[in-house]
Amino acid sequence: MVAFAAEKRNSGKMQNNIFTTMRSLKIMDGCKGNQVYALNPSGNTTSSAGGGGSGLGIVGEKFLQHLQDHLRVNSIRSKSNRNFQDNNVQVGNPSVVADALSTYGLPQSDSLEPLIDPCLKSVDLIETLAHVYRKIENCPQFEKSGMYLEQCAIFRGLSDPKLFRRSLRSARQHAVDVHSKMVLSAWLRFERREDELIGTSSMDCCGRNIECPKASLVSGYNPESVYDPCTCSRSLTDDSDTAEFSMGDDECSTSEEDGDMSFCIGDDEVRCIRYNIASLSRPFQAMLYGGFLESRREKINFSQNEISVKGMRAAEIYSRIKSVDSFDPDVVLELLSISNKFCCEEMKSACDAYLASMVYDMEKAMLFIEYGLDEAAHLLVAACLQVFLRELPSSIHNPNVMRFFCSAEARERLALAGHASFSLYYFLSQIAMEDDVKSNTTVMLLERLGECASDGWQKQLAFHQLGCVMLERKEYKDAQKWFEAAVEAGHVYSLVGVARTKFKRSHMYSAYKMMNSLISDYKPAGWMYQERSLYCSGKERIMDLDKATELDPTLSYPYKYRAVLMMEENNIGAAISEINRIIGFKVSPDCLELRAWFSISMEDYEGALTDTMAILTLDPNYMMFGGKLHGDHLVELLRHHVQQWSQADCWMQLYDRWSCVDDIGSLAVVHHMLANDPGKSLLRFRQSLLLLRLNCQKAAMRSLRLARNHSTSEHERLVYEGWILYDTGHREEALAKAEESISIQRSFEAFFLKAYALADSNLDTESSLYVIQLLEEALRCPSDGLRKGQALNNLGSVYVDCDKLDLAADCYTNALNIKHTRAHQGLARVYHLKNQRKTAYDEMTKLIEKARNNASAYEKRSEYCDRDMARSDLSMATQLDPLRTYPYRYRAAVLMDDHKEADAISELTKAIAFKPDLQLLHLRAAFHDSMGDYPSTRQDCEAALCLDPSHTDTLELYKRARERTDEQPRE
């Protein structure tokens, strides 16, 4: 059983130190490779591991056996015993520690490299956001979809995935043609990863036109209708009598009396009405009524035109009834061919639409795609491509599917059918990069992306990503070529790639000079100093890394480098403190892995196990030790050497860690509980809540999907589907799921979901009372204390909004009684509203003392003390979590009050540089406005509205700034 030892067993001297078992394996050899992801190998990096954890390969098996043998014969030392012994030599000696770090597997500082961001990155993000907003606002309505796609590319590089999804929805909303609708609808579906939901089909519809596979095949611009219910719930076809037009019925064909001409095919004649056939196309009209011999003949020989009698009869019938619905598919395919030969556009459209309606799964798509491409049948090809795209990511591993996309010839065929676009290859290439960044498929798709690129931003993105992929493949000459092409197209950030490839080709000084020039020519940014640090050493490198952290504290590489350097200097405590700085506000597998390394070096196997389990929660396929060992195997090895817990013990530990706001520790406990009961949907749901707290939205959604898949009842499944919809921006649909669940069975989670979704708006008194009623209903239903504590906390918040302070205090007190520690914050708010400021301050102090993650508590406590104490608390909040924006806004407001306008602007600019936040931008715009700097006001407003185009206060400020700018005299 997995364990998180509360007590550790002392066993005297270890016969073999854990480093000894790694000595012969040269683990660091796997970390010394020059790669883009130096300490963050992809879950799909399996070349040395025999495939994603199912096999470890020779090196991995040896490592596993050595590590297992070591742990079998050695028990865990006390945490207080930090000295390692190897042949009676104390590892406290710095030289011995350094040797251990380099030889036995710990990463070396010089081997670490930061990730080159494969997304678009601007040297002036605010100006870029403002520019995109202006383009969207001023472009013709039929071009808005393309503008929103550009916005998508910019948002892809930001940390909030909701921005990208919202922009993608807008691109689909304003799409005009079938191709764009089909691609963007499939992309929206992929972003929700509905392929992971058991029991769903790729062609299932969400119920709205925006993602409906049928609505996507209807051309036309109608942005107001995309959120309307689609027609998928209706019957697919109406019953009708088709016998009248059966091909086997002679009455369908033109009779001898009615026909005035015949087409002779072999020994058969097909009687036709000359006028009807002529009306099919201009070529037929010219042939039958022009100056050709056929115009004067009653019988025309068509034997040499590769048209069957059956096909010609179908054409004759179509010339009269203008429908192909009664024909068999093979007949319609021949009609499609006839349409192309004789330019019968109307008949081709009818055949195209009919065949497209028959494509509803992979088998049909594979059957019809060749016909569609050969005949340039736009709608049929769209229907087939839609199936391929909605089957992603699995279809990207199907070579029979990828052959229609990857080669230059394949792109040309798609182009002839009207289906080779930048959006298509952008979608495909992003999935390919996520799946396997080094694969040939990824390279070919990105090459096609570059061929489709026409606008500047498109070329920048395609060439930059090709550079990143080539760098990962260690094809440095090609990587440099693509990075330089991206720079030439206007992507300044790609200079980082050029410098990196020069460095890989042993031109370090050239790389250093390039980054020096970049820092001199543009406003310095954290990533510039981070990159330059690679090309210098000693104190100069540390100075660059410190400057990078100062400018952008969200960059993980500086923390990792400093931590490993401290470890090499035998300063283990400082190393862990350094890596904890970023883990405290930005959790990532690579940083957790590094901390796990440190824990193993300290023989703190409990800490290593906790971090490894958290890693596997974030990425179940994560490979440890430079891609040589699957995390599950390390868990299996470590868990037998810490204290064993029963499932009941785990629940107690979960309560304790939840109550002390130890989210990573809670994740580890839940991971252990799921190891014993992997089908427990309730635990998966708890896991998703913890991941959302840690701002790991992608992993949270995966846990939520697993909760839905393992649900054992209909009403439970509906609740989890409701949360999936809510978290992806579909609030109304989420409410419908909650109501449907309640109609089946009243449950805590259904009532809680409904209350939560309703409360996510500006509530009037009546709505607030309804939310209170729902939460009270939830509390009457069975649930565990963790969830009831959350419900009580939420109920208290609504009571406060309704000015029912005593009832709110009761809710918060009851929540605290069941260890919902965060209720201290709500109770403090009640005391503050009762003018008991000192009591409120003390209440928040209790939360700070209990919570492991307490940046928000310091921030909130600042509201209940004087200015000097508030500054101290907010300084601590920024130190613990620099992503929290309130401290910057508070300090800037204070500076403005003190008439230090330039300092106030600088305080906000410092945060905006690494977090372009709506509130920060709005406040800075207001400051600029008060100073009479209307151009700067406009730019900040435009950038803010790019993030949220419906923000009322910013819209009003923007309107005033534009009016004042227009009033100013031009020089």
Side-chain angles (χ1 to χ4, degrees):
M1 233 180 248
V2 174
F4 308 88
E7 299 177 359
K8 292 194 175 182
R9 301 185 295 276
N10 293 324
S11 60
K13 294 182 178 179
M14 299 180 86
Q15 296 177 3
N16 296 290
N17 187 270
I18 193 166
F19 290 132
T20 307
T21 66
M22 302 180 190
R23 183 192 302 271
S24 64
L25 296 173
K26 306 290 185 183
I27 298 300
M28 200 52 230
D29 289 349
C31 298
K32 288 180 180 177
N34 296 320
Q35 48 187 324
V36 180
Y37 306 87
L39 257 187
N40 187 17
S42 168
N44 297 295
T45 303
T46 58
S47 59
S48 63
S54 58
L56 293 172
I58 297 174
V59 176
E61 288 176 358
K62 286 182 179 180
F63 174 81
L64 178 61
Q65 187 61 48
H66 283 300
L67 188 57
Q68 191 169 17
D69 290 343
H70 168 76
L71 293 175
R72 187 182 296 116
V73 299
N74 294 283
S75 58
I76 301 172
R77 292 185 171 187
S78 170
K79 283 185 179 180
S80 61
N81 186 1
R82 298 303 185 207
N83 291 325
F84 305 102
Q85 298 180 6
D86 184 10
N87 297 327
N88 298 320
V89 178
Q90 293 292 324
V91 184
N93 187 313
S95 63
V96 177
V97 172
D99 182 61
L101 291 171
S102 61
T103 306
Y104 304 135
L106 283 171
Q108 288 180 306
S109 56
D110 290 339
S111 70
L112 301 177
E113 287 183 1
L115 165 72
I116 293 182
D117 194 338
C119 303
L120 291 179
K121 184 186 284 288
S122 173
V123 290
D124 188 346
L125 178 59
I126 304 309
E127 195 281 329
T128 300
L129 292 174
H131 178 64
V132 169
Y133 176 77
R134 291 193 300 270
K135 288 175 69 175
I136 292 172
E137 289 298 301
N138 298 327
C139 74
Q141 60 181 5
F142 291 160
E143 297 178 10
K144 283 188 181 294
S145 182
M147 297 300 104
Y148 279 115
L149 189 64
E150 180 178 357
Q151 188 183 58
C152 285
I154 295 168
F155 285 164
R156 195 61 145 180
L158 303 184
S159 59
D160 187 356
K162 292 181 180 178
L163 290 173
F164 175 82
R165 287 198 296 266
R166 192 205 71 211
S167 187
L168 195 61
R169 284 196 296 271
S170 296
R172 167 61 185 89
Q173 179 180 3
H174 292 276
V176 179
D177 58 276
V178 166
H179 175 78
S180 297
K181 291 181 179 182
M182 174 267 297
V183 171
L184 296 170
S185 293
W187 201 339
L188 283 168
R189 182 182 185 275
F190 174 80
E191 285 298 313
R192 290 207 311 277
R193 294 309 304 268
E194 288 203 359
D195 59 286
E196 295 182 2
L197 299 181
I198 295 174
T200 62
S201 165
S202 63
M203 299 302 286
D204 285 347
C205 178
C206 70
R208 305 284 179 181
N209 285 327
I210 191 168
E211 289 183 41
C212 175
K214 291 184 178 180
S216 298
L217 298 181
V218 178
S219 182
Y221 182 73
N222 192 0
E224 291 78 19
S225 69
V226 294
Y227 295 107
D228 292 344
C230 62
T231 60
C232 287
S233 58
R234 305 173 190 171
S235 175
L236 295 177
T237 57
D238 296 328
D239 293 334
S240 59
D241 184 6
T242 61
E244 181 184 356
F245 306 116
S246 171
M247 287 297 293
D249 192 341
D250 289 339
E251 293 180 3
C252 285
S253 300
T254 299
S255 65
E256 292 290 335
E257 294 78 11
D258 294 334
D260 56 5
M261 61 161 292
S262 299
F263 286 103
C264 300
I265 301 173
D267 297 331
D268 294 295
E269 288 187 21
V270 179
R271 293 294 291 173
C272 300
I273 299 174
R274 184 180 296 267
Y275 175 80
N276 289 344
I277 296 298
S279 67
L280 291 178
S281 70
R282 288 188 175 183
F284 271 127
Q285 185 179 27
M287 180 177 69
L288 297 176
Y289 286 104
F292 297 98
L293 291 175
E294 287 85 355
S295 65
R296 296 188 294 274
R297 291 177 178 174
E298 182 180 347
K299 294 183 179 182
I300 300 173
N301 188 352
F302 251 38
S303 299
Q304 304 302 315
N305 287 319
E306 298 181 351
I307 299 175
S308 70
V309 174
K310 196 174 184 181
M312 198 62 231
R313 283 178 178 160
E316 187 279 324
I317 292 172
Y318 175 83
S319 73
R320 291 185 288 110
I321 68 174
K322 303 300 182 183
S323 173
V324 298
D325 292 347
S326 61
F327 303 138
D328 292 334
D330 60 327
V331 175
V332 179
L333 284 170
E334 186 172 1
L335 278 180
L336 182 62
S337 178
I338 294 171
S339 300
N340 275 329
K341 286 180 180 179
F342 294 95
C343 303
C344 305
E345 294 301 326
E346 184 179 350
M347 186 165 72
K348 179 177 180 178
S349 297
C351 295
D352 199 6
Y354 174 83
L355 293 170
S357 69
M358 299 187 65
V359 180
Y360 51 82
D361 60 17
M362 183 64 78
E363 182 182 358
K364 288 287 193 298
M366 294 299 297
L367 176 65
F368 284 111
I369 182 68
E370 286 285 4
Y371 291 108
L373 290 171
D374 288 343
E375 301 297 340
H378 181 75
L379 210 57
L380 177 57
V381 174
C384 297
L385 293 181
Q386 179 167 243
V387 173
F388 297 159
L389 296 182
R390 291 173 75 95
E391 288 282 352
L392 289 168
S394 62
S395 58
I396 209 164
H397 300 288
N398 186 340
N400 291 325
V401 172
M402 285 296 104
R403 68 186 178 90
F404 294 111
F405 298 104
C406 287
S407 67
E409 294 76 13
R411 187 192 69 82
E412 290 174 2
R413 291 186 75 196
L414 288 173
L416 290 174
H419 288 289
S421 70
F422 183 86
S423 60
L424 172 66
Y425 282 101
Y426 185 19
F427 180 25
L428 288 169
S429 61
Q430 301 318 291
I431 295 174
M433 289 181 71
E434 288 180 19
D435 181 75
D436 185 357
V437 73
K438 297 180 183 180
S439 73
N440 290 334
T441 298
T442 301
V443 173
M444 288 189 287
L445 289 173
L446 284 171
E447 287 174 343
R448 304 293 82 75
L449 181 70
E451 292 167 0
C452 292
S454 56
D455 294 342
W457 72 269
Q458 295 175 348
K459 294 177 181 179
Q460 293 173 25
L461 180 65
F463 299 158
H464 179 72
Q465 291 191 334
L466 271 166
C468 290
V469 169
M470 292 303 179
L471 182 63
E472 179 68 9
R473 289 161 62 100
K474 300 183 181 180
E475 299 176 20
Y476 301 128
K477 186 175 181 179
D478 286 340
Q480 182 174 335
K481 177 191 73 174
W482 287 116
F483 282 130
E484 288 173 344
V487 173
E488 186 177 349
H491 194 233
V492 177
Y493 175 69
S494 293
L495 285 170
V496 169
V498 178
R500 190 78 63 90
T501 53
K502 286 178 177 288
F503 172 61
K504 297 298 185 183
R505 301 174 71 191
S506 302
H507 303 302
M508 178 183 281
Y509 183 62
S510 177
Y512 180 83
K513 285 201 305 180
M514 180 171 289
M515 295 312 301
N516 238 3
S517 298
L518 184 63
I519 293 172
S520 300
D521 295 343
Y522 296 93
K523 182 180 179 181
W527 54 266
M528 298 178 186
Y529 285 95
Q530 173 180 266
E531 188 65 24
R532 192 176 71 173
S533 72
L534 295 175
Y535 315 130
C536 51
S537 59
K539 291 183 178 180
E540 189 177 355
R541 172 176 284 191
I542 293 298
M543 287 174 62
D544 272 356
L545 291 174
D546 289 345
K547 185 66 175 180
T549 300
E550 177 189 334
L551 293 173
D552 186 353
T554 67
L555 296 172
S556 61
Y557 169 74
Y559 300 93
K560 290 160 61 177
Y561 180 88
R562 288 189 293 258
V564 172
L565 189 64
M566 292 170 182
M567 190 70 181
E568 291 173 346
E569 295 170 350
N570 198 31
N571 197 348
I572 301 177
I576 291 179
S577 296
E578 180 64 25
I579 202 64
N580 281 344
R581 287 176 59 195
I582 189 165
I583 291 176
F585 66 90
K586 185 181 177 183
V587 177
S588 62
D590 56 329
C591 291
L592 288 172
E593 182 188 11
L594 192 58
R595 190 168 71 175
W597 269 115
F598 295 160
S599 297
I600 289 174
S601 72
M602 296 172 64
E603 300 180 36
D604 176 10
Y605 298 140
E606 174 195 351
L609 184 58
T610 296
D611 284 340
T612 305
M613 287 181 166
I615 289 169
L616 291 172
T617 303
L618 295 171
D619 182 357
N621 297 316
Y622 194 81
M623 302 295 292
M624 308 282 287
F625 305 133
K628 292 181 173 61
L629 182 70
H630 196 286
D632 279 332
H633 290 278
L634 186 59
V635 169
E636 190 71 21
L637 292 168
L638 292 173
R639 67 176 185 167
H640 297 291
H641 298 272
V642 291
Q643 182 180 348
Q644 304 297 298
W645 291 345
S646 66
Q647 201 76 343
D649 293 331
C650 287
W651 275 108
M652 293 300 297
Q653 286 294 323
L654 184 57
Y655 268 87
D656 288 342
R657 294 176 189 233
W658 195 288
S659 65
C660 70
V661 198
D662 178 8
D663 294 330
I664 292 177
S666 298
L667 276 181
V669 176
V670 171
H671 187 279
H672 163 53
M673 296 169 77
L674 284 168
N676 294 333
D677 190 2
K680 193 76 170 179
S681 59
L682 178 67
L683 292 174
R684 291 289 183 188
F685 182 54
R686 298 295 188 277
Q687 192 179 62
S688 72
L689 297 175
L690 288 164
L691 289 165
L692 283 175
R693 283 187 189 174
L694 293 168
N695 199 31
C696 301
Q697 297 187 36
K698 184 176 180 180
M701 292 303 296
R702 182 178 60 247
S703 295
L704 203 48
R705 289 190 292 269
L706 288 171
R708 181 265 184 199
N709 288 344
H710 289 104
S711 55
T712 56
S713 63
E714 178 73 5
H715 73 88
E716 185 182 20
R717 178 182 62 80
L718 288 167
V719 168
Y720 299 141
E721 288 178 354
W723 279 115
I724 291 172
L725 288 165
Y726 177 82
D727 288 338
T728 51
H730 301 276
R731 178 173 169 270
E732 296 300 324
E733 290 85 347
L735 282 169
K737 292 285 185 181
E739 290 167 357
E740 187 179 353
S741 178
I742 292 170
S743 69
I744 297 173
Q745 181 172 324
R746 299 162 63 85
S747 68
F748 173 91
E749 293 298 350
F751 280 116
F752 188 88
L753 169 60
K754 186 174 182 180
Y756 195 94
L758 284 172
D760 186 19
S761 60
N762 295 323
L763 296 177
D764 54 27
T765 302
E766 183 178 353
S767 299
S768 295
L769 292 175
Y770 185 46
V771 171
I772 289 172
Q773 180 184 343
L774 289 171
L775 289 171
E776 289 174 341
E777 289 291 338
L779 289 166
R780 294 189 188 101
C781 299
S783 186
D784 60 76
L786 297 176
R787 294 298 284 155
K788 290 207 169 185
Q790 182 65 61
L792 286 166
N793 196 63
N794 289 11
L795 182 57
S797 179
V798 181
Y799 276 137
V800 168
D801 292 339
C802 294
D803 204 27
K804 299 181 179 182
L805 300 184
D806 291 336
L807 290 173
D810 290 340
C811 287
Y812 292 129
T813 301
N814 291 334
L816 288 170
N817 289 338
I818 53 177
K819 292 191 173 183
H820 189 78
T821 307
R822 286 181 170 84
H824 282 297
Q825 182 169 317
L827 193 56
R829 183 185 176 196
V830 171
Y831 289 136
H832 175 64
L833 292 173
K834 290 183 174 182
N835 295 319
Q836 299 175 22
R837 202 176 185 197
K838 176 64 169 62
T839 309
Y841 181 90
D842 293 341
E843 197 67 30
M844 289 306 301
T845 302
K846 294 177 184 178
L847 177 57
I848 289 171
E849 293 170 349
K850 292 180 181 179
R852 176 165 296 189
N853 300 322
N854 52 19
S856 63
Y858 277 106
E859 179 183 297
K860 196 65 181 177
R861 191 176 70 171
S862 69
E863 299 179 19
Y864 310 134
C865 53
D866 59 38
R867 177 177 287 192
D868 289 339
M869 295 177 68
R871 283 177 174 171
S872 176
D873 275 355
L874 292 175
S875 177
M876 178 60 73
T878 299
Q879 181 180 332
L880 295 172
D881 184 357
L883 290 173
R884 304 192 71 84
T885 61
Y886 173 75
Y888 300 99
R889 289 186 281 128
Y890 176 89
R891 289 189 289 263
V894 170
L895 289 168
M896 282 297 284
D897 288 343
D898 293 340
H899 303 289
K900 298 178 180 178
E901 291 86 355
D903 291 339
I905 296 289
S906 177
E907 179 68 23
L908 294 175
T909 301
K910 179 170 60 177
I912 289 171
F914 60 86
K915 185 172 183 180
D917 175 76
L918 172 66
Q919 297 295 337
L920 291 172
L921 285 166
H922 174 76
L923 185 59
R924 191 172 72 172
F927 287 175
H928 282 309
D929 184 66
S930 69
M931 297 164 62
D933 186 356
Y934 303 125
S936 296
T937 303
R938 286 184 62 170
Q939 178 169 289
D940 279 351
C941 285
E942 288 164 348
L945 292 171
C946 188
L947 300 174
D948 183 359
S950 61
H951 192 252
T952 305
D953 292 342
T954 303
L955 284 168
E956 293 177 357
L957 180 59
Y958 183 49
K959 181 181 178 181
R960 293 198 305 269
R962 291 180 65 179
E963 292 172 351
R964 290 168 180 168
T965 303
D966 294 339
E967 292 171 359
Q968 287 182 341
R970 296 183 180 181
E971 297 181 358

